[in-house]
Amino acid sequence: MSAQTVTFAGYTIGYGQETYEQLIPICSRYGSKIVVIGGEKALAAAKPYITKAIDGSNLEILSFEWFGGVASYENVDRLKALDSVKNADMIFAVGGGKAIDCAKCVASQTEKPFFTFPTIAATCASTTAIGVMYYPNGVQKDVFIAPRPAIHNFINLDIIAQAPPLYLWAGIGDTLAKFTEVPFSSRGHESEMAHKDALPLCMSKMTGEPLLQYGKEAMDDVKSGKSSFALEQVVLAVVITSGMVSYLIDSYKYNSNMAHAVFYGMTVLPQIEERHLHGEVVSYGVLCMLMMDKQMELLDRIYKFMKSINLPTKLADMEVKLEEMGPALDSAVTKYDIECSPYKITKELMYQAVVDLEEYNKTH
Ligand SMILES: [Zn+2]
């Protein structure tokens, strides 16, 4: 037996300036000098709030730094060489997944505590210790795991409500996968799952249920730039619950399955690579998986919800023809995501699910 240490990010979710009410007591335990690293638009959106939040305290911002546009080790090295980063006691990571992961990597390599300020709700990067790194040209390189996630995550719904709705839309799509893939991958393993996997399996229910209940309303609110209770419930599911599930569960076994395999397979198609988002295509993969597994009741619920917010339910929604799915599924079936499944997933099973889903669309 070996000891297990789990550290979670604390979080505050709020509306506007009130989000930062506890920032001074929470952050000042770690020193006084701050460097803020983030995306360009994200920094512009968060700067007035953060500046006001530390006003009158002994906290001091040394500088606001653009992360460089790509979460690359080259940008990490460039940031680490800055005096403001060298002199900072702590790092504030502001933005979407790429900016936060880049700042997380800087924090990890410099052994400084970091705090997250997500400005969009597309991923759970602000909650997890995992970072996805890219080559400078934008191609994915590897994944690193920081010694711990952020100390605290400050989620300002007013900022998220002002961001382009596309991000929340894709975040919802990816979170539908957490809701369905985790129970599917775990099926048959329940009796051998210890606390560390059994807990996030239970929590996965809370990734999807709030989306089905509040997702449509939250999307409508974001389209009009309005923060709301519905948006709060959806952001918590996408950013917090999903992040905790990913962070706790054995990611090589239970964290993903066919929805992601279908997405990765479909990236061989140029139209997917160029014009469709990860979470968008993954949500289509969720429907394929439910169809293959004959989970018709859940399929009905998720299909209706996806239609209501225009997530893709058929190939034409992603500019894909049925005959293009052969090579895509040749690739999908090789992905590690489907290795831990209740039964062997073959290309034939996947293809039949795609065909059945096309038929289903004609009658629903
Ligand atoms: Zn995903």
Side-chain angles (χ1 to χ4, degrees):
M1 298 293 273
S2 57
Q4 263 181 30
T5 302
V6 177
T7 38
F8 291 118
Y11 71 88
T12 302
I13 189 160
Y15 300 79
Q17 200 63 42
E18 66 170 35
T19 312
Y20 313 98
E21 271 169 6
Q22 293 297 314
L23 187 145
I24 294 169
I26 290 170
C27 296
S28 52
R29 284 182 220 137
Y30 298 88
S32 60
K33 298 190 189 72
I34 301 161
V35 63
V36 186
I37 299 174
E40 226 163 9
K41 289 188 197 116
L43 288 176
K47 190 174 178 176
Y49 287 111
I50 295 175
T51 309
K52 193 167 177 203
I54 65 163
D55 194 29
S57 74
N58 69 337
L59 293 172
E60 176 199 356
I61 293 171
L62 301 180
S63 69
F64 288 86
E65 301 291 346
W66 179 49
F67 80 107
V70 184
S72 65
Y73 292 107
E74 288 75 5
N75 277 326
V76 169
D77 289 342
R78 181 184 55 77
L79 289 160
K80 272 163 56 188
L82 299 173
D83 284 341
S84 57
V85 173
K86 284 184 192 157
N87 296 329
D89 298 318
M90 67 193 95
I91 294 175
F92 284 7
V94 180
K98 290 193 172 86
I100 286 178
D101 284 354
C102 190
K104 190 187 288 178
C105 192
V106 173
S108 168
Q109 291 194 10
T110 58
E111 298 182 357
K112 293 180 198 278
F114 72 102
F115 300 82
T116 46
F117 299 76
T119 54
I120 57 173
T123 74
C124 54
S126 57
T127 303
T128 70
I130 305 156
V132 184
M133 301 303 286
Y134 296 80
Y135 291 102
N137 65 4
V139 174
Q140 194 178 322
K141 183 173 188 180
D142 62 13
V143 170
F144 76 93
I145 300 178
R148 61 153 298 153
I151 308 278
H152 202 88
N153 186 353
F154 295 93
I155 308 167
N156 181 344
L157 291 163
D158 285 0
I159 294 181
I160 288 172
Q162 295 290 328
L166 204 61
Y167 294 120
L168 183 70
W169 185 67
I172 289 173
D174 208 19
T175 306
L176 286 172
K178 196 76 58 198
F179 180 49
T180 50
E181 288 182 312
V182 170
F184 180 73
S185 303
S186 312
R187 192 190 303 159
H189 294 262
E190 291 87 346
S191 61
E192 71 203 49
M193 288 172 90
H195 176 272
K196 196 169 178 299
D197 292 311
L199 176 65
L201 170 61
C202 289
M203 289 166 75
S204 68
K205 192 170 166 56
M206 276 298 291
T207 59
E209 290 295 345
L211 304 183
L212 298 178
Q213 190 174 350
Y214 298 108
K216 169 81 170 89
E217 196 182 333
M219 280 306 301
D220 289 343
D221 289 339
V222 165
K223 279 178 195 156
S224 52
K226 197 175 94 191
S227 55
S228 64
F229 177 77
L231 179 64
E232 182 177 335
Q233 299 311 302
V234 169
V235 169
L236 284 168
V238 173
V239 175
I240 299 294
T241 321
S242 184
M244 288 171 107
V245 172
S246 294
Y247 181 49
L248 278 174
I249 207 156
D250 183 336
S251 57
Y252 292 101
K253 281 186 175 171
Y254 310 125
N255 199 32
S256 67
N257 203 286
M258 183 172 144
H260 275 82
V262 167
F263 161 74
Y264 293 123
M266 288 179 76
T267 58
V268 304
L269 306 173
Q271 65 272 44
I272 295 294
E273 186 64 32
E274 287 159 22
R275 292 189 291 279
H276 296 277
L277 298 167
H278 173 99
E280 173 193 355
V281 182
V282 163
S283 72
Y284 167 76
V286 166
L287 296 180
C288 293
M289 183 179 78
L290 295 175
M291 180 60 87
M292 174 193 72
D293 199 40
K294 303 280 183 283
Q295 295 187 46
M296 300 315 284
E297 205 177 310
L298 189 57
L299 174 69
D300 284 341
R301 287 179 71 207
I302 294 181
Y303 176 89
K304 278 195 195 92
F305 166 64
M306 285 176 56
K307 278 261 178 214
S308 77
I309 63 165
N310 294 319
L311 278 167
T313 62
K314 58 182 184 301
L315 293 172
D317 295 340
M318 298 168 293
E319 314 162 77
V320 176
K321 295 194 172 70
L322 185 59
E323 49 271 30
E324 291 178 289
M325 287 305 281
L329 295 179
D330 279 336
S331 168
V333 80
T334 66
K335 304 300 171 194
Y336 87 91
D337 306 75
I338 58 171
E339 270 171 29
C340 184
S341 296
Y343 43 86
K344 184 161 174 54
I345 299 176
T346 61
K347 185 191 166 187
E348 290 67 36
L349 276 176
M350 285 188 177
Y351 187 80
Q352 193 56 49
V354 169
V355 172
D356 291 347
L357 185 58
E358 291 296 301
E359 282 306 310
Y360 183 89
N361 268 271
K362 290 176 190 161
T363 52
H364 290 76

